[in-house]
Amino acid sequence: MTPVVVHDPTLRDGQHAVRHRLGVAALRGYAEAADAAGVPVVEVGHGNGLGASSMQVGRAAVSDDLMLSTVREALRRSKMGVFMLPGWGTSSDLRKAIAHGADVIRIGVHCTETSLAERHLGWLAEQGAEGHCVLMMSHMASAAELASHAAAAVGYGARAVGLMDSAGYFLPQDVTSRIGAIAAAVDVPVIFHGHNNLGMAVANSVAAAQAGARIIDGCARGFGAGAGNTQLEVLVPVLERTGFSTGIDLYGLLDAADFAERELMPTPPTTGTLSIVSGLAGVFSGFKHQVLDASTRAGVDPRDVFFELGRRQAIAGQEDLIVDVVTELGRTAV
């Protein structure tokens, strides 16, 4: 059995599905359940990470400080993880996260813009913190390009590095080639974070582990943007059946998933029309609500909006582009 570390961003990535409105009781309850199951890392925060609560991407129901202190108090065995996008969050946010007891700090960057993480990864290394770097929208770069950027992140101080399939675009062969190239280029653990837009998240995660990834992400009931993330309570037993040990108690994990479905989400994510289209278009799943709201007001087909955003290679943080696309499509329709 090859060990893999499961990283659970239910309380961070799942926020996208409920417009970042998770409250203290939900945060505490799920953190306690995941901890009891022996989940190695429980990540918490606004869906877009530290410092991101705003009018542009949505205000969180709970401040970063309260989210972190609540989850930290709830965890006895599990490590606490946080996520930050440079530009939304700052070094000040990283200092506060460490002060609150964050054990794993991930810095997310667009897959070809690793240099944006250099200062933050270097600072985390100086503090002795466990800083990771994840390359987002990774379908937009070749395996060789991703390996090069991953190696650069390690040079900046990352103690683990890997990919986010932010749009749920990949098929298993895509994951195998990219993770394999990164694993050959670095000497730190490789990460894979999947989304389920095309129904491939578990298969892609297994392919990642088989290609050398040693940190695999999953969310309870797949709780996350659009069609959701890799479904954690399915991922873990499938990994175990394919020769990877996670150290997670299955019944405890199923209990945590039941809590998540009951207390965190109106309904579990489904692979619906817009999720499929965003996956095919290669567009960030977190755009779903904004696209639907703007297109409904303008009388524009949201499917057309997603495909046009994909043509323009829109990335997370470019939410303003949604309005531009909807406006232009509305004029064309008239």
Side-chain angles (χ1 to χ4, degrees):
M1 299 288 282
T2 302
V4 295
V5 175
V6 171
H7 190 111
D8 177 0
T10 297
L11 298 179
R12 197 275 304 168
D13 214 341
Q15 293 263 28
H16 287 295
V18 291
R19 300 178 186 258
H20 319 285
R21 305 308 295 172
L22 293 181
V24 168
L27 295 168
R28 179 183 296 113
Y30 182 76
E32 289 174 346
D35 184 78
V39 175
V41 182
V42 176
E43 185 176 284
V44 61
H46 183 280
N48 293 74
L50 297 172
S53 181
S54 64
M55 290 294 291
Q56 184 175 0
V57 293
R59 293 201 179 278
V62 178
S63 69
D64 285 353
D65 287 331
L66 186 52
M67 280 192 266
L68 295 176
S69 62
T70 297
V71 170
R72 179 70 278 168
E73 290 171 3
L75 299 179
R76 298 292 180 266
R77 295 186 295 167
S78 304
K79 293 181 177 181
M80 183 171 74
V82 295
F83 175 77
M84 193 189 85
L85 295 168
W88 287 118
T90 66
S91 295
S92 176
D93 295 303
L94 294 180
R95 289 189 189 93
K96 288 196 293 184
I98 291 174
H100 278 295
D103 301 292
V104 180
I105 299 95
R106 282 186 172 177
I107 307 298
V109 293
H110 183 64
C111 60
T112 57
E113 297 177 354
T114 314
S115 60
L116 294 177
E118 180 177 5
R119 181 165 61 88
H120 297 302
L121 290 171
W123 184 84
L124 290 170
E126 290 172 0
Q127 307 309 305
E130 185 173 345
H132 296 181
C133 184
V134 284
L135 307 179
M136 303 170 66
M137 300 296 286
S138 53
H139 67 282
M140 290 185 169
S142 69
E145 289 175 307
L146 293 169
S148 175
H149 282 279
V154 174
Y156 300 150
R159 290 167 57 178
V161 65
L163 305 181
M164 283 190 169
D165 181 17
S166 310
Y169 178 86
F170 284 147
L171 301 178
Q173 58 265 34
D174 302 318
V175 175
T176 297
S177 63
R178 287 164 171 79
I179 291 293
I182 292 173
V186 302
D187 57 1
V188 299
V190 177
I191 303 162
F192 181 74
H193 173 106
H195 280 256
N196 204 41
N197 297 64
L198 301 180
M200 303 302 296
V202 171
N204 284 341
S205 297
V206 172
Q210 292 172 333
R214 293 296 173 261
I215 301 174
I216 305 292
D217 290 8
C219 292
R221 290 291 191 270
F223 192 36
N229 295 50
T230 307
Q231 190 170 343
L232 182 59
E233 67 276 11
V234 178
L235 171 68
V236 167
V238 170
L239 283 172
E240 297 276 352
R241 284 187 63 181
T242 50
F244 299 95
S245 61
T246 66
I248 296 174
D249 175 69
L250 177 60
Y251 280 17
L253 184 63
L254 294 173
D255 289 342
D258 288 341
F259 176 92
E261 181 173 354
R262 186 173 65 249
E263 303 294 338
L264 303 188
M265 60 194 80
T267 58
T270 58
T271 307
T273 295
L274 292 187
S275 298
I276 295 168
V277 170
S278 67
L280 292 171
V283 175
F284 173 50
S285 303
F287 281 4
K288 177 182 175 181
H289 290 307
Q290 294 98 319
V291 167
L292 189 58
D293 290 347
S295 60
T296 298
R297 288 193 300 268
V300 171
D301 191 325
R303 297 170 295 187
D304 292 339
V305 176
F306 269 113
F307 280 119
E308 179 60 20
L309 288 168
R311 190 186 68 79
R312 299 188 188 194
Q313 296 192 315
I315 62 174
Q318 292 183 315
E319 283 79 4
D320 289 348
L321 190 58
I322 295 171
V323 176
D324 293 342
V325 168
V326 168
T327 300
E328 291 178 20
L329 290 176
R331 289 172 183 160
T332 302
V334 172

